[in-house]
C-alpha cells in the first residue's frame, strides 16, 4: 500500500486493506500503527472481537508491515485507539454487514433474521455458516462506509483480555530487532560524529582491517562503519578506526515565534489586579531511556530490501531507506519487531539507516546494535523548556490576567520547526492552561536546542504543564486559597471538574491529617481529549530528598477498550514521569551530550516505586475513546513539585527535584 | 590488537544441557548465549551491568551476563529465561507476571523473572523490601514496578510451604 492517504481521505478505505478472512478461519486485521508495549495489538483485536464476533485467538493483527497495511503517518500522540482504532472498528463492523448480507442471500432470508456468533453467521432453524465459507473464492471487499461505525460493542467490557504478546515475553521467545537471525547475517557497527551533520575529514582504517572477524570497512562520504562476523568484533574494529570529524557550526536559522493566544486588554487586567505574580520555570534535556538501545537488521539485495526494526514510523523509514538506496518504495519492506518502549525515540531510524548502508555495501544481511553510550550521545532528546509566567488575581481571588512566554526547542524532526500550526501542536502543546484566565497572552519561541532534540512522550505537554500547574499552585497559595478549590473555581469543563473531584475524594484531600514533612500536591491536564488529574503524596527528608509515596489518578478517556491495559499505561506513565521529575537531567557541554552510562543518568528503580498508584477511570462508555499512552505522564511533575511545597515550603521551579534543589529552595524566602 | 587465533573452546551447562562452543577468548557470556546458543531472552541493554536486561542464573544466583567472561561460566549451572519453564509448565514467577500483566514492552521482563526466581529459590517468603531490592537491578522504562512487586508476592504466596 503506497501513497499517503491521510486526512479526510482516510475515511474512504477499502475493506480489504483492513480485514480479511483466511481459509482456516483466521481473521486478519491490518493497521499501520505499531506495538511497543502500549497494547494496541491486543486493543485492536478486542475491538474486532466485539464488532465481528470472533475470539481473539482466531485473529492475527498485522501492524506496520509496509507491504501489507494501509499507509500511516506514525504511532505517536496517543492516537492509535482514538483514530486508527475507529478505522479498524468501522472496517470490522462493515465486514460483519457484508458477511450477514452474503449469508442472507445464500439462505434466502432477511438480514434481520440472522446474526453472527463466534466466527459464523447463524440463522433460523439452527443454520450456521463460517466466515471462511462465506469468503471462499470471494474475499471481503468494498468501501468502508464513512461516519461512525454501526458499533455493536457492549457498553462495558466484562473482562480485560491478556495481552497477545504476554506469553512470548515471559518465556523469552518474543523477538526484538536484535534477536532476528537471518542466514548469512553479519554484524555491523557505524561511527558517528558527535553532532548531526559532522563531516568525516580523515580516516585511517589500517588497524581496523586487521582485526579478527572483520569482513569490510565501509566508507561512503561521511559514513563509516565496520562489518564483522561477530558483534564484539564489529565494535572492537570500529573502535580501532581513526576517524577525524569536522563538526559544522549549528545552523543559525530556525527560530520561530508563535502566538498561541493574545486577548485584548491584558495590560488593563494586570493594572487593576490586587495580586500579581511572576515566576520562571526550567525543564532540562532528558533522555528517552529505552532499555533496549536501537537495533536493526537490514537485508539489502538488488531486488529489494527487508528491514527488521523498531520504529514508530514504518512508512517514513521505508521512504528514507528507499531514497538512500535508490530503490523504489515498493521494493523496501519494513518489518516492525517487538520494541523496547520507545516514547518518541522511534521517530528517527538511526540503527536502521546504519544497517541499510552496511548491508548495501556487503550484500549480506547485517545486524546493527547501538551501544548504550550511542543512545545517550547520539539520540535526539527531549527539548529544554524555559517559561516565564505572570498572572493577575483580583480581590475576589479570581485570575483576571495571564501571560506566558515560553522558550523551547523543536519537538519534531527535520530541517526546520515546521509551520506555525505544527509548532503550536508540538512545542506549544498544553501551553495554554485549561482554566478561565481572564485576559491572556501566550507566546512561544522555538529555537534549536543545545543538543539534537525530537519527539518525546507527550511532546511539550509535560514540560508546559509542569510550569503552568506549578504556577497555578503558587497563585493559590499567594492568594490564600486551597490549590484544589482554586483550580475548581477556574474550571468550566465538566469532565475536567469530574477528574479533579475524584482525586480530591480518593486522596482525602480535605480531611487528611497534617504531618510535618509529608505533603499532597495536585495537577491536571486535558491532553488530546483525555482528562487527567493526579494527586501526589511525598515525604521530604531532612536533607531535602523527596520520596514519592502515593499517587491518585482520575482519567476520563471516554470508552475504554482494554481497561486493565489502560490502567497499566497510566500507572507506567506516572512511574516514568516521576523518574523524569525527581532524577533526570542529561549532561551537556559545548553542544554535546556528556552522559554515557546509566551510572551518570540514574532512573527510577523498584526501590523508588510509590507504595500505590490509584487509578480511577470515569469516562462515559458512550464517549469515543481518546488516548491513554501519554496523558498520565503530563501532570505528575507539577503534582510532585506542589506536594514538596506543601510538605516543607520549598518551591522548586527547576527540574529535577533533587535533594539539593529542595534543600536550597527551602532556605530561600518565598 | 587481539591475536587472530585466540579462540577458546568451552563446555557450558545451560538449562540442563551441555553445550560446546568455540568463541574468542574473553567473550561476554551474553554474546555466547545470544549468538552461539540461540538463547536471545537475555538481552543487551548497557554492557556494564547497570540495567539488568541480560540477567541469567549462574548456580542459582542472578548475574549480569554482559559482565561475565565466558571462561568464568565454565562449571556453573546456567539458567536462562528459556529454561525457567519445565516441560511446558511455566515457572511460578512467569505465571504470576502473566496474571498481574506485569509488563509492557517486555524488554526488562526476562531479567526481572530471573531475579525473582533466584530470590524465591532461597527465600520463599520475602518481604516487600526484599522483593524491591531484588528487582532494583532491573531498569524498566515502562514503569511496571508496582505490578512486578505484586507478581513476585503472588508467586511467593502460591509456593508450597
Amino acid at each position: 500500500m503506497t501513497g499517503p492517504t491521510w486526512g479526510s481521505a482516510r475515511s474512504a478505505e477499502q475493506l480489504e486493506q483492513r480485514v480479511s478472512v483466511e481459509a482456516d478461519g483466521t481473521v486478519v486485521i491490518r493497521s499501520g500503527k505499531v506495538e511497543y508495549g502500549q497494547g494496541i495489538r491486543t486493543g485492536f483485536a478486542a475491538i474486532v472481537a466485539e464488532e465481528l464476533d470472533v475470539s481473539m485467538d482466531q485473529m492475527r493483527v498485522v501492524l506496520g508491515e509496509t507491504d501489507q497495511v494501509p499507509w500511516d503517518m506514525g504511532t505517536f500522540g496517543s492516537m492509535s485507539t482514538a483514530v486508527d482504532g475507529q478505522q479498524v472498528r468501522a472496517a470490522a463492523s462493515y465486514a460483519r454487514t457484508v458477511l450477514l448480507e452474503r449469508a442472507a442471500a445464500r439462505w434466502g432470508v432477511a438480514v434481520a433474521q440472522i446474526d453472527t456468533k463466534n466466527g459464523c453467521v447463524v440463522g433460523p432453524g439452527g443454520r450456521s455458516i463460517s466466515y471462511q465459507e462465506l469468503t471462499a473464492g470471494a474475499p471481503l471487499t468494498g468501501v468502508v462506509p464513512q461516519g461512525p461505525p454501526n458499533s455493536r460493542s457492549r457498553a462495558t467490557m466484562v473482562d480485560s483480555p491478556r495481552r497477545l504478546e504476554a506469553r512470548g515475553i515471559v518465556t523469552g521467545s518474543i523477538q526484538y530487532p536484535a534477536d532476528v537471525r537471518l542466514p548469512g547475517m553479519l554484524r555491523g557497527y557505524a561511527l558517528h560524529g558527535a553532532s548531526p551533520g559532522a563531516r568525516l575529514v580523515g580516516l585511517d582504517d589500517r588497524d581496523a582491517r586487521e582485526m579478527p572477524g572483520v569482513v569490510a570497512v565501509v566508507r561512503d562520504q561521511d559514513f563509516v562503519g565496520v562489518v564483522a562476523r561477530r558483534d564484539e568484533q564489529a565494535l572492537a574494529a570500529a573502535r580501532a578506526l581513526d576517524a577525524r570529524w569536522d563538526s559544522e557550526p549549528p545552523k543559525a536559522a530556525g527560530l520561530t515565534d508563535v502566538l498561541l493566544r493574545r486577548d485584548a486588554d491584558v495590560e488593563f487586567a494586570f493594572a487593576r489586579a490586587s495580586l500579581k505574580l511572576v515566576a520562571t520555570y526550567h525543564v532540562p534535556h532528558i533522555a528517552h531511556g529505552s532499555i533496549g538501545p536501537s537495533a536493526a537488521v537490514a537485508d539489502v539485495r538488488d531486488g529489494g530490501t527487508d528491514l527488521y526494526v523498531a520504529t514508530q514510523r514504518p512508512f517514513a523509514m521505508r521512504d528514507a531507506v528507499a531514497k538512500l538506496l535508490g530503490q523504489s518504495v515498493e521494493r523496501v519492506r519494513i518489518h516492525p519487531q517487538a520494541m523496547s518502549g520507545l516514547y518518541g525515540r522511534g521517530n528517527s531510524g538511526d540503527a536502521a539507516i546504519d544497517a541499510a548502508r552496511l548491508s548495501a555495501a556487503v550484500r549480506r544481511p547485517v545486524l546493527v546494535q547501538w551501544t548504550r553510550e550511542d543512545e545517550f550521545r547520539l539520540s535526539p532528546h527531549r527539548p529544554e523548556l524555559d517559561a516565564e509566567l505572570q498572572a493577575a488575581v483580583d480581590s475576589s481571588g479570581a485570575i483576571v490576567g495571564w501571560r506566558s512566554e515560553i522558550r523551547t526547542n523543536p519537538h519534531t524532526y527535520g530541517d526546520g520547526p515546521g509551520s506555525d500550526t505544527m509548532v503550536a501542536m508540538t512545542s506549544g502543546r498544553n501551553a495554554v492552561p485549561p482554566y478561565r484566565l481572564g485576559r491572556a497572552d501566550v507566546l512561544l519561541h522555538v529555537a534549536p536546542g543545545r543538543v539534537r532534540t525530537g519527539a518525546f512522550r507527550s511532546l511539550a505537554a509535560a514540560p508546559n504543564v509542569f510550569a503552568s500547574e506549578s504556577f497555578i499552585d503558587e497563585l493559590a497559595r499567594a492568594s490564600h486559597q486551597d490549590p484544589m478549590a482554586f483550580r475548581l473555581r477556574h474550571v468550566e469543563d465538566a469532565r475536567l471538574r469530574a477528574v479533579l473531584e475524584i482525586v480530591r475524594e480518593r486522596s482525602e484531600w480535605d480531611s487528611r491529617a497534617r504531618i510535618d514533612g509529608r505533603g499532597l500536591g495536585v495537577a491536571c491536564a486535558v491532553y488530546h481529549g483525555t482528562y487527567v488529574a493526579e494527586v501526589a503524596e511525598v515525604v521530604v527528608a531532612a536533607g531535602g530528598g523527596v520520596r514519592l509515596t502515593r499517587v491518585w489518578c482520575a482519567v476520563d478517556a471516554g470508552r475504554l477498550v482494554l481497561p486493565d491495559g489502560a490502567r497499566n499505561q497510566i500507572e507506567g506513565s506516572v512511574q516514568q514521569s516521576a523518574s523524569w521529575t525527581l532524577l533526570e537531567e542529561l549532561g551537556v557541554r559545548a553542544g554535546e551530550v556528556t552522559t554515557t552510562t546509566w551510572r551518570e543518568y540514574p532512573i527510577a528503580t523498584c526501590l523508588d516505586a510509590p507504595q500505590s498508584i490509584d487509578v480511577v477511570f470515569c469516562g462515559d462508555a458512550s464517549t469515543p475513546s481518546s488516548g491513554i499512552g501519554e496523558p498520565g505522564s503530563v501532570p505528575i511533575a507539577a503534582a510532585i513539585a506542589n506536594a514538596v511545597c506543601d510538605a516543607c515550603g520549598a518551591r522548586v521551579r527547576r527540574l529535577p527535584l533533587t535533594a539539593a534543589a529542595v534543600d536550597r529552595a527551602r532556605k530561600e524566602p518565598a | 590488537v587481539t591475536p587472530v587465533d585466540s579462540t577458546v573452546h568451552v563446555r557450558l551447562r545451560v538449562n540442563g544441557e551441555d553445550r560446546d562452543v568455540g568463541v574468542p577468548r574473553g567473550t561476554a557470556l551474553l554474546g555466547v548465549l545470544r549468538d552461539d546458543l540461540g538463547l536471545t531472552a537475555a538481552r543487551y541493554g548497557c554492557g556494564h551491568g547497570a540495567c539488568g536486561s541480560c540477567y541469567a542464573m549462574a548456580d542459582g544466583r542472578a548475574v549480569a551476563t554482559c559482565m561475565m567472561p565466558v571462561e568464568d561460566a565454565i562449571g556453573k549451572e546456567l539458567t536462562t529465561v528459556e529454561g525457567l519453564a519445565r516441560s511446558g509448565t511455566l515457572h511460578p514467577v512467569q505465571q504470576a507476571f502473566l496474571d498481574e500483566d506485569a509488563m509492557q514492552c517486555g524488554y526488562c521482563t526476562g531479567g526481572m523473572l530471573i531475579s525473582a526466581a533466584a530470590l524465591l529459590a532461597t527465600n520463599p517468603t520475602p518481604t516487600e523490601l526484599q522483593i524491591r531490592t531484588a528487582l532494583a537491578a532491573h531498569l524498566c522504562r515502562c514503569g511496571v514496578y508496582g505490578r512486578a512487586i505484586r507478581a513476585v508476592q503472588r508467586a511467593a504466596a502460591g509456593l508450597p510451604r
Side-chain angles (χ1 to χ4, degrees):
Chain A
M1 318 285 156
T2 48
T5 54
W6 56 296
S8 57
R10 278 309 289 272
S11 46
E13 285 189 333
Q14 288 293 124
L15 179 57
E16 57 271 32
Q17 285 186 292
R18 288 286 183 180
V19 180
S20 59
V21 181
E22 297 191 334
D24 66 355
T26 301
V27 174
V28 183
I29 317 304
R30 298 179 190 83
S31 166
K33 300 296 179 191
V34 297
E35 168 72 44
Y36 42 86
Q38 78 281 42
I40 64 160
R41 183 187 304 278
T42 315
F44 287 172
I47 286 170
V48 174
E50 288 180 359
E51 296 292 340
L52 198 49
D53 262 333
V54 282
S55 70
M56 286 174 57
D57 52 18
Q58 203 189 328
M59 242 182 267
R60 188 170 78 247
V61 184
V62 178
L63 296 177
E65 294 275 349
T66 51
D67 60 341
Q68 298 173 52
V69 303
W71 187 90
D72 185 87
M73 188 160 51
T75 308
F76 42 69
S78 299
M79 298 190 295
S80 295
T81 302
V83 180
D84 220 51
Q86 286 300 311
Q87 302 280 356
V88 168
R89 191 181 288 283
S93 174
Y94 182 55
R96 179 171 179 271
T97 301
V98 172
L99 290 163
L100 286 170
E101 285 169 354
R102 287 185 184 182
R106 189 180 289 218
W107 290 335
V109 298
V111 168
Q113 291 176 268
I114 61 178
D115 198 359
T116 51
K117 192 176 176 187
N118 201 18
C120 295
V121 179
V122 293
R127 272 185 287 193
S128 173
I129 183 166
S130 69
Y131 293 170
Q132 61 264 41
E133 287 174 78
L134 286 168
T135 52
L140 292 173
T141 184
V143 177
V144 178
Q146 299 190 26
N150 177 25
S151 175
R152 61 194 300 275
S153 53
R154 291 170 283 278
T156 51
M157 294 275 299
V158 286
D159 196 11
S160 205
R162 185 168 282 164
R163 287 255 316 282
L164 295 171
E165 301 83 1
R167 197 173 173 94
I169 288 172
V170 299
T171 59
S173 64
I174 188 169
Q175 188 169 284
Y176 301 85
D179 305 330
V180 171
R181 299 289 179 268
L182 299 179
M185 190 177 83
L186 297 168
R187 304 309 176 95
Y189 186 79
L191 289 187
H192 295 270
S195 59
R199 290 177 42 240
L200 181 61
V201 293
L203 179 70
D204 182 346
D205 63 3
R206 283 171 293 185
D207 287 349
R209 285 183 185 281
E210 298 305 313
M211 298 280 283
V214 170
V215 173
V217 174
V218 178
R219 181 177 181 183
D220 178 9
Q221 295 178 16
D222 295 321
F223 176 85
V224 61
V226 175
V227 179
R229 286 199 297 275
R230 294 185 69 91
D231 211 16
E232 307 87 350
Q233 293 167 333
L235 192 58
R239 285 180 173 154
L241 289 169
D242 181 8
R244 288 179 304 284
W245 301 91
D246 183 10
S247 288
E248 286 184 1
K251 285 170 193 151
L255 183 78
T256 308
D257 292 344
V258 178
L259 198 55
L260 297 171
R261 177 163 163 183
R262 173 153 290 174
D263 298 341
D265 300 328
V266 176
E267 294 293 335
F268 178 72
F270 273 83
R272 70 186 176 93
S274 61
L275 171 72
K276 280 173 272 190
L277 215 59
V278 55
T280 59
Y281 300 87
H282 175 77
V283 179
H285 285 303
I286 62 173
H288 293 91
S290 290
I291 305 303
S294 304
V297 174
D299 183 8
V300 179
R301 302 170 312 281
D302 290 335
T305 294
D306 288 279
L307 282 155
Y308 304 83
V309 297
T311 177
Q312 290 174 252
R313 298 196 301 161
F315 285 89
M317 178 179 282
R318 177 197 67 173
D319 296 351
V321 170
K323 189 176 170 194
L324 175 76
L325 300 176
Q327 294 185 341
S328 67
V329 292
E330 291 80 10
R331 288 179 182 270
V332 177
R333 286 172 297 273
I334 306 296
H335 308 290
Q337 304 297 298
M339 307 180 200
S340 178
L342 294 169
Y343 308 112
R345 177 70 188 93
N347 286 291
S348 58
D350 315 88
I353 299 292
D354 290 351
R357 298 186 85 140
L358 293 171
S359 176
V362 299
R363 296 282 149 167
R364 303 250 306 259
V366 174
L367 164 58
V368 169
Q369 169 73 70
W370 274 29
T371 65
R372 173 58 49 194
E373 181 177 338
D374 295 334
E375 206 60 32
F376 277 122
R377 286 183 55 243
L378 304 172
S379 294
H381 296 296
R382 183 165 87 172
E384 288 183 296
L385 180 114
D386 286 287
E388 183 181 296
L389 306 185
Q390 301 179 49
V393 175
D394 70 11
S395 56
S396 78
I399 301 170
V400 292
W402 181 283
R403 283 197 194 101
S404 302
E405 187 160 4
I406 299 161
R407 293 170 199 283
T408 188
N409 322 125
H411 287 72
T412 51
Y413 300 94
D415 295 331
S419 68
D420 283 5
T421 309
M422 183 60 83
V423 171
M425 279 171 52
T426 56
S427 299
R429 186 166 289 188
N430 287 62
V432 181
Y435 300 111
R436 270 196 304 271
L437 299 174
R439 304 293 182 173
D441 190 309
V442 179
L443 176 62
L444 178 68
H445 307 281
V446 180
R450 293 190 293 148
V451 300
R452 185 183 173 205
T453 62
F456 196 100
R457 193 176 205 174
S458 91
L459 298 178
N464 274 322
V465 169
F466 164 66
S468 62
E469 282 289 280
S470 293
F471 193 54
I472 286 284
D473 235 62
E474 296 205 54
L475 291 174
R477 287 168 202 276
S479 59
H480 310 289
Q481 300 179 70
D482 173 72
M484 183 74 79
F486 185 70
R487 283 176 172 79
L488 285 165
R489 73 177 283 181
H490 289 96
V491 169
E492 280 172 353
D493 191 317
R495 293 173 74 185
L496 185 57
R497 291 188 69 84
V499 291
L500 281 165
E501 292 286 7
I502 289 169
V503 291
R504 178 185 206 167
E505 188 189 326
R506 304 279 297 185
S507 67
E508 299 171 12
W509 179 273
D510 298 305
S511 58
R512 183 168 290 259
R514 304 284 317 177
I515 298 175
D516 221 29
R518 187 181 79 180
L520 290 186
V522 63
C524 63
V526 184
Y527 184 90
H528 263 203
T530 295
Y531 295 76
V532 55
E534 292 172 355
V535 167
E537 180 196 72
V538 301
V539 173
V540 180
V546 178
R547 179 156 176 68
L548 179 64
T549 47
R550 283 193 276 183
V551 179
W552 295 266
C553 309
V555 182
D556 175 354
R559 177 186 160 70
L560 297 180
V561 174
L562 295 175
D564 191 59
R567 186 176 300 278
N568 201 345
Q569 285 297 305
I570 298 297
E571 292 170 359
S573 55
V574 165
Q575 177 66 68
Q576 182 184 108
S577 54
S579 178
W580 308 338
T581 304
L582 292 168
L583 296 167
E584 300 182 30
E585 178 167 17
L586 276 167
V588 179
R589 192 170 54 231
E592 294 184 12
V593 177
T594 55
T595 304
T596 58
T597 70
W598 287 123
R599 297 198 207 292
E600 306 150 76
Y601 191 92
I603 65 172
T605 74
C606 226
L607 289 167
D608 304 304
Q611 286 158 23
S612 63
I613 301 174
D614 179 68
V615 182
V616 172
F617 291 103
C618 58
D620 183 336
S622 65
T623 305
S625 304
S626 52
I628 208 76
E630 294 169 302
S633 68
V634 174
I636 201 72
I640 292 172
N642 295 339
V644 167
C645 189
D646 186 50
C648 69
R651 172 56 62 182
V652 182
R653 303 188 182 92
R654 182 188 176 92
L655 297 181
L657 284 144
T658 59
V662 172
D663 198 43
R664 217 179 304 121
R666 193 161 43 179
K667 288 165 185 162
E668 281 169 8
Chain B
V1 175
T2 319
V4 178
D5 61 350
S6 68
T7 299
V8 58
H9 293 274
V10 298
R11 170 164 294 184
L12 300 176
R13 181 97 186 144
V14 186
N15 298 334
E17 287 177 37
D18 286 331
R19 305 287 298 266
D20 295 315
V21 293
V23 296
R25 206 171 288 282
T27 300
L29 176 60
L30 176 62
V32 177
L33 292 172
R34 293 180 54 80
D35 296 331
D36 300 279
L37 301 178
L39 299 169
T40 56
R43 306 184 191 286
Y44 170 78
C46 71
H48 54 268
C51 76
S53 307
C54 67
Y55 270 40
M57 264 191 272
D59 288 343
R61 289 186 47 234
V63 297
T65 62
C66 73
M67 297 286 281
M68 180 183 271
V70 66
E71 294 88 341
D72 290 2
I74 297 168
K76 291 192 165 70
E77 188 76 36
L78 302 173
T79 304
T80 68
V81 173
E82 291 92 340
L84 284 179
R86 287 292 152 84
S87 52
T89 304
L90 295 180
H91 187 285
V93 297
Q94 291 175 307
Q95 187 62 51
F97 270 65
L98 277 185
D99 293 340
E100 293 289 342
D101 195 17
M103 66 196 85
Q104 284 185 27
C105 81
Y107 204 87
C108 70
T109 310
M112 286 198 189
L113 293 170
I114 291 289
S115 283
L119 171 69
L120 295 184
T122 55
N123 178 4
T125 55
T127 64
E128 185 184 318
L129 182 59
Q130 287 169 330
I131 293 170
R132 285 176 180 254
T133 305
L135 296 181
H138 304 282
L139 300 183
C140 167
R141 193 53 157 173
C142 303
V144 303
Y145 296 135
R147 285 170 183 252
I149 293 164
R150 289 205 300 275
V152 179
Q153 288 170 332
R154 177 193 278 254
L159 293 178
R161 304 277 149 162

